[in-house]
Amino acid sequence: MIGLGIGWRLAAAGCRVDVFERDIAGRGASWAAAGMLAAGVETEPGEMALHALNRSSQQLWPDFARTLESASGLPVGYRAEGTLRVALTRDDAARLRATYEFQRRGGIALEWLTGADARRREPHLAAGIAAGVFSPEDHQVDNRLVVPALIAALRRAGGRLHEHAEVDRIEIANGRAIGVRVGEDLVSADAVVLAAGAWSRDIGGLPPVVRPPVRPVKGQMLALRMDPGTPMLRHVLWTPRAYLVPRANGRLIVGASVEERGFDPSLTAGAMFALLDAAWRALPGTEELPIDEMWTGFRPGSRDDAPILGPCMVDRLVLATGHHRNGILLTPVTADAISRLVLTGESDPAIEPFGLNRFVPPRQAREMA
Ligand code: GLY
């Protein structure tokens, strides 16, 4: 979604755009994700700079969704019921209270709920829910609808998408990116944007100093099937050990493990058991629901879990990767800021803290200058 979003914006601005995808576009983390636009409840201590970026992208989402729907003629499933976070026990409630206090101090709009309040909002919650927090600004979008919408919008704007077309190397001459090599072909370009998600580090041709420090962070997930006419859940729901995301078509996404296992695509009994158990403890009715799908995905995690955005030491090579748990949320701000950078050379202050140079030791940076 990051690459398609930037490509769409650039094509809409009149550029000749070619997007290269080694497989099928949008079938990596974009497909695996749950689509939560959670700038609020996912914020952890030490992440306030990232929170500012997340928040600005969250504010862009309603307009991004409308523009994308009209540019593509396809729905994207943006839903605005907000997010509910629940504590199952008194210990969970004490931890939730501490997180709530921290997030409120950071200016995040949240509402503390008793267990009874939480059950009034979601009547299928377990009877013993100890407490809850309502986050009125954390919504969701259906990422598996956004992907085809971005592809259609890119194409309608004149951009070209090349699938099963792996970039073998980024071609660099005299310190400047001049295009990409795809098989026998050299496709020349005024600028190259690297947006290869968890695979960004492994693209050929990159000097070591600009190889983004991105690794795959495995997530296992599953989907249950609710009756869309009488859904068991309407809000995005966070329990202490899983999140649940209800879709309009009745799918109930349950996620996710967070594992350092490289590109291991296997589904494990332990992870599926943990997710089903966590879902059942909060929403006992899930016991009766059919399983629709189980899958794994690979978040592009950087060393500090924040994205890597903007220029690097190779002229005209722009990085847009490392979005970790926030790729869907950060698509609008990334598409706007990176397309502006390519078009005008201006760097949006919103992305300044997220340059690759934060990982380059000062001595090495001086030597490269
Ligand atoms: N943002 C949810 C996840 O990464 O699992």
Side-chain angles (χ1 to χ4, degrees), residues 32-38 42 217-221 238 243 255-258 299 323-328:
M36 291 179 292
L37 307 175
E42 274 200 69
V217 181
K218 177 179 173 180
Q220 300 188 49
M221 301 179 63
W238 279 72
Y243 51 75
S257 67
V258 180
R299 308 172 182 90
H323 291 77
H324 195 226
R325 300 185 68 118
N326 296 311
I328 312 302

Side-chain angles (χ1 to χ4, degrees), residues 1 11 13 21 26 68 102 105 167 208 213 226 237 247 254 268 283:
M1 277 175 52
E21 160 62 49
L68 180 56
F102 153 75
R105 279 197 302 278
V167 171
M226 304 182 293
L237 179 70
R247 299 285 199 232
V254 184
T268 63
L283 210 60

Side-chain angles (χ1 to χ4, degrees), residues 229-291:
T230 52
M232 195 177 285
L233 190 69
R234 290 176 192 278
H235 301 83
V236 174
L237 179 70
W238 279 72
T239 82
R241 278 185 291 280
Y243 51 75
L244 288 81
V245 185
R247 299 285 199 232
N249 64 5
R251 264 166 66 100
L252 179 60
I253 314 291
V254 184
S257 67
V258 180
E259 301 168 66
E260 297 287 349
R261 297 189 61 86
F263 287 109
D264 165 18
S266 54
L267 286 163
T268 63
M272 290 300 122
F273 172 76
L275 292 173
L276 288 167
D277 180 63
W280 171 77
R281 284 175 193 278
L283 210 60
T286 51
E287 185 167 0
E288 304 296 330
L289 300 181
I291 293 180

Side-chain angles (χ1 to χ4, degrees), residues 53-293:
L53 187 72
N54 287 345
R55 183 81 184 115
S56 65
S57 204
Q58 188 183 52
Q59 286 167 339
L60 292 173
W61 251 108
D63 189 51
F64 187 83
R66 262 192 306 275
T67 318
L68 180 56
E69 286 185 339
S70 98
S72 65
L74 296 170
V76 299
Y78 181 83
R79 287 179 63 168
E81 289 91 346
T83 291
L84 206 54
R85 193 164 188 163
V86 293
L88 304 180
T89 64
R90 286 176 60 179
D91 279 356
D92 292 340
R95 276 190 290 272
L96 184 60
R97 187 82 204 182
T99 308
Y100 163 81
E101 302 285 358
F102 153 75
Q103 290 172 338
R104 292 260 300 183
R105 279 197 302 278
I108 298 169
L110 297 171
E111 188 183 330
W112 184 260
L113 305 176
T114 64
D117 294 335
R119 277 171 54 83
R120 264 192 290 280
R121 287 177 191 260
E122 285 293 356
H124 293 275
L125 282 172
I129 292 287
V133 165
F134 179 58
S135 178
E137 288 165 4
D138 286 341
H139 303 309
Q140 62 148 311
V141 70
D142 187 336
N143 40 297
R144 291 193 184 181
L145 294 179
V146 178
V147 166
L150 281 172
I151 292 172
L154 169 76
R155 288 189 165 135
R156 281 188 175 185
R160 288 181 297 195
L161 171 63
H162 309 265
E163 296 184 306
H164 306 291
E166 182 163 359
V167 171
D168 295 307
R169 46 187 295 120
I170 293 175
E171 292 290 348
I172 296 168
N174 302 320
R176 181 187 169 142
I178 57 165
V180 294
R181 171 111 15 212
V182 182
E184 299 291 292
D185 301 327
L186 169 64
V187 184
S188 53
D190 296 325
V192 175
V193 178
L194 174 54
W199 292 266
S200 297
R201 221 186 129 72
D202 304 321
I203 302 284
L206 293 175
V209 74
V210 298
R211 277 174 71 196
V214 173
R215 68 186 194 287
V217 181
K218 177 179 173 180
Q220 300 188 49
M221 301 179 63
L222 61 97
L224 303 172
R225 206 166 53 244
M226 304 182 293
D227 177 351
T230 52
M232 195 177 285
L233 190 69
R234 290 176 192 278
H235 301 83
V236 174
L237 179 70
W238 279 72
T239 82
R241 278 185 291 280
Y243 51 75
L244 288 81
V245 185
R247 299 285 199 232
N249 64 5
R251 264 166 66 100
L252 179 60
I253 314 291
V254 184
S257 67
V258 180
E259 301 168 66
E260 297 287 349
R261 297 189 61 86
F263 287 109
D264 165 18
S266 54
L267 286 163
T268 63
M272 290 300 122
F273 172 76
L275 292 173
L276 288 167
D277 180 63
W280 171 77
R281 284 175 193 278
L283 210 60
T286 51
E287 185 167 0
E288 304 296 330
L289 300 181
I291 293 180
D292 211 34
E293 189 187 344

